[in-house]
Amino acid sequence: MAKREPSINTENFTAVQLMELDSCSRCGECVNWCPTYDASGKNPGLAPRDKILRWKEFMNKSYGLRARLFGPKEISAEEIEQFKNDVYGCTTCGMCATVCESAINTVELWESMRANLVKRGNGPYGKQGMFLKLIGEYKNPYMADNKDRTNWFPKDIKVEDKAEVLYFGGCTAELRQRKLALATARVLNKLGIKFTMLGEDEICCGSALVRTGQYFINDTAKINAQKNIDNIEAKGAKIVLYACAGCYRASLIDWPRLTGKELPFKVVHITEFLQDLIKKGEIKWEKSIDKKVTYHDPCHLGRHVGVFEPPRAVLEAIPGIEFVEMERIKENQRCCGAGGGVKAGLPDLALGVASTRVEDALATNADILSSACPFCKRNLSDGRDAIGAKELEVEDVIVLVAEAMGIDLSDTPAE
Amino acid sequence: MEYFAGVSEALRLTFVQIMIISILSVGIFVVGMYINLKKWGMGSTGYGQAPSKSILTFPKTLMYQMNEHAHVHNQSVLKTFVFDILFQRRILQRSPVRWFMHFTIFVGWMTLFAMSGAMFFVEMTHMIGEKLGYAESLPWFMNPEVFRELLSTPNDIFSYILLVGIIIAIYRRLFVAKTRESTIAYDSILLIGLTVITVTGFIADGIRNNTIWNGVINFDWTIPMTNIALSLHYGDPIFPFTYAPPAALFHVIISLLFCIAYIPFSKYIHIIAIPLALLANKGGE
Ligand code: HEM
Ligand code: SF4
Ligand code: SF4
């Protein structure tokens, strides 16, 4: 009788990741902190510890001692399908990695599991399956004409053809949360910083594809990353600015990985850039924002990369702002719920997580819940609406900066 | 000549038995680790690469990852080794109680393990020395009897340290609702095994030192089992000498099987895998 084939394979896992499965001590810290597990009403399947255990068991059934002696044990299709559903119920926020006593790089583990399951024909989840087609066809996941990225900029905005500084707007800010892109452009203009943009040549940064395990299909993410890099280089840019945490993380970490090359430019978040200018005394504030403001760290800017201080420094420099912190901040921040494809795939779960985060903000009595990512802003706004906390304003740091610099954004066009 | 790490002259055979069990345990451990390395080696050497399926894949990937630049924490191997592996600060950061529990288990176990190894080494050296005639020229402490006396106090101390950790761990598993509810066999078997080893260690030691049934009992409250076993023989003056070897033998055998052979097949793999994960991820995020 021919030996049965293992039900799973190890595609997309590195050897170290397979070892990490065996290093979980089941301490349970990740379970205490996971925002989606919490928002799901403690659905045991979503617990990070449980996901590691299950995949480890899949591995042992397929390649462990007994499998070597007597052949692999079958894992049922339903079991794998259930696992897929659970592993997509994660925003890749990275909280579990931060608290993991075994220092497991869980986020990459989830992404590898997802990629493996996509290859196997199980993943991705729900609407996430559209990402590839949309990004391939439209170069953005919103089915928008790519020309619309910047052609809506009001006449006053001055974007150079070539410059040392390039603003990588990102799909969400250019096509959906336009106030943020407009604020960034006008702030740069007012500061006299000559900058350029990719305009219709900009392609989705690939974050959605990487996070949902679809990056390898047709090499789309890699090809797009390379095109973006080439286009940025062609613009003569040495510094690339981001006002979107997702694009920032994708450029800083995922692009070099995908292309296997170091980036020929510096990746800088707009708050880092502004912090520097504030230090040099180059920003002139014209208005005071007399409000209590709290700040939500985007996972992809904070925990993933370690940019915690710049946005706070910027907020604290704005005249009139009384800055207050929420309970869970910086490394221990609670995710907004949008990332990892959850907003597209499991909107209810995303909303649940966002509502909890909005409650964190309400507990500080802040007037404004700020963040530094259009995706966070969108989901936190949805969360606020869901719990009817009308009094809380959700706004991006860069928009507050623009306001305090006396910049008018009332002419922002709709989507 | 007496064989102190386990058994005495009364049972000469036991020396051979110990050797067989030791070799068997190490053999099982090696086979288990080979299977694990093969399993880990089913992965690729880097992000987005195809699986390579070689036994060397894992060490290669580990080295590669350790040399890579990390974005958040980029700490040195030495720092990781001292703070995260030896001192286990990631546990401390999360829960001082759990850290204390684990640190006592870790320190107790590691030290006892190292001391057993040292005792074994001294006995072997001495025994071979006797055969080859250089035993007399060994330094004074290389005499098994002297060496055992030297180790006797640290042995007691670290056994109690280990016991403290185990008691906290058992308490947690039984009485802390959240921990109890999430406990699966994979977790509890470690603790059960370790408890059996520690308890049999105390019994064997107690019998040998003739303390258990002479009223000088300082630990039988932890081991009611001992009382049951010993009541059968209470008053028998030759008891210690008859039963010390089997008790010690039992202790040594399950220690070897459980603490060495079982590592690759149980949650004990964490003793190897967690330090490797810490090194690979430079101490973690
Ligand atoms: C560098 C080495 C080690 C590291 C980093 C490490 C780490 C851990 C962690 C994080 C846990 C989970 C604690 C919890 O449940 O809250 C654990 C559990 C455990 N470790 Fe270790 N460990 C190491 C070595 C050892 C050694 C040498 C032993 C010796 C026997 C050991 C025995 C145990 C036991 C028995 C448990 C389970 C406790 C329980 O479930 O209640 N560990 N270890
Ligand atoms: S990355 Fe965040 S959402 Fe995903 S399992 Fe970890 S803690 Fe939960
Ligand atoms: S925090 Fe890490 S070691 Fe602890 S249960 Fe979660 S994955 Fe396992």
Side-chain angles (χ1 to χ4, degrees), chain B residues 201-212:
Chain B
F202 275 113
I203 296 177
D205 199 49
I207 295 176
R208 202 187 54 201
N209 295 335
N210 204 5
T211 48
I212 285 193

Side-chain angles (χ1 to χ4, degrees), chain A residues 24-30 49 52 100-102 104:
Chain A
C24 171
S25 69
R26 301 189 35 83
C27 68
E29 279 299 329
C30 51
R49 171 173 65 184
I52 291 188
C100 179
E101 292 182 359
S102 305
I104 300 173

Side-chain angles (χ1 to χ4, degrees), chain A residues 79-123:
Chain A
E79 212 177 328
I80 294 183
E81 192 59 20
Q82 183 57 50
F83 184 84
K84 178 212 79 182
N85 293 344
D86 292 338
V87 86
Y88 276 98
C90 155
T91 61
T92 64
C93 74
M95 194 59 220
C96 46
T98 295
V99 298
C100 179
E101 292 182 359
S102 305
I104 300 173
N105 191 336
T106 48
V107 172
E108 302 222 341
L109 208 48
W110 312 142
E111 288 176 9
S112 294
M113 288 172 181
R114 290 176 176 190
N116 180 285
L117 289 168
V118 168
K119 236 178 220 175
R120 201 181 174 280
N122 299 87

Side-chain angles (χ1 to χ4, degrees), chain A residues 12-229:
Chain A
N12 290 88
F13 286 92
T14 69
V16 165
Q17 288 184 309
L18 295 178
M19 181 277 293
E20 285 178 336
L21 296 170
D22 281 319
S23 75
C24 171
S25 69
R26 301 189 35 83
C27 68
E29 279 299 329
C30 51
V31 188
N32 294 342
W33 294 84
C34 174
T36 54
Y37 169 74
D38 223 25
S40 69
K42 302 203 189 299
N43 168 1
L46 295 195
R49 171 173 65 184
D50 187 67
K51 287 183 273 188
I52 291 188
L53 179 72
R54 279 189 282 166
W55 197 273
K56 186 169 79 118
E57 283 172 352
F58 290 173
M59 278 301 291
N60 285 341
K61 281 181 181 170
S62 307
Y63 306 102
L65 174 67
R66 208 172 305 168
R68 295 215 177 261
L69 295 177
F70 309 112
K73 204 167 164 200
E74 195 181 346
I75 305 160
S76 73
E78 298 80 63
E79 212 177 328
I80 294 183
E81 192 59 20
Q82 183 57 50
F83 184 84
K84 178 212 79 182
N85 293 344
D86 292 338
V87 86
Y88 276 98
C90 155
T91 61
T92 64
C93 74
M95 194 59 220
C96 46
T98 295
V99 298
C100 179
E101 292 182 359
S102 305
I104 300 173
N105 191 336
T106 48
V107 172
E108 302 222 341
L109 208 48
W110 312 142
E111 288 176 9
S112 294
M113 288 172 181
R114 290 176 176 190
N116 180 285
L117 289 168
V118 168
K119 236 178 220 175
R120 201 181 174 280
N122 299 87
Y125 193 97
K127 279 192 193 158
Q128 296 167 356
M130 299 293 286
F131 286 163
L132 195 77
K133 188 168 173 292
L134 295 177
I135 292 169
E137 211 167 301
Y138 298 91
K139 300 184 181 172
N140 66 70
Y142 295 115
M143 276 170 86
D145 185 338
N146 220 37
K147 288 201 175 77
D148 292 345
R149 280 185 182 271
T150 49
N151 65 1
W152 54 270
F153 271 178
K155 293 274 174 297
D156 63 298
I157 304 254
K158 196 162 165 20
V159 179
E160 307 293 324
D161 187 37
K162 279 187 161 201
E164 288 237 331
V165 176
L166 183 141
Y167 166 41
F168 189 95
C171 308
T172 307
E174 289 171 344
L175 300 165
R176 289 291 179 272
Q177 306 274 330
R178 286 180 161 162
K179 196 168 165 191
L180 196 149
L182 186 62
T184 311
R186 280 205 173 127
V187 165
L188 291 173
N189 274 168
K190 188 150 184 176
L191 288 168
I193 311 252
K194 288 198 182 319
F195 74 98
T196 178
M197 289 181 80
L198 292 181
E200 66 175 299
D201 290 334
E202 186 178 316
I203 310 173
C204 169
C205 68
S207 179
L209 293 177
V210 178
R211 308 279 88 79
T212 57
Q214 306 181 76
Y215 69 89
F216 61 87
I217 306 177
N218 307 329
D219 264 345
T220 307
K222 177 178 168 178
I223 293 168
N224 289 352
Q226 193 57 56
K227 278 189 189 156
N228 277 329
I229 295 170

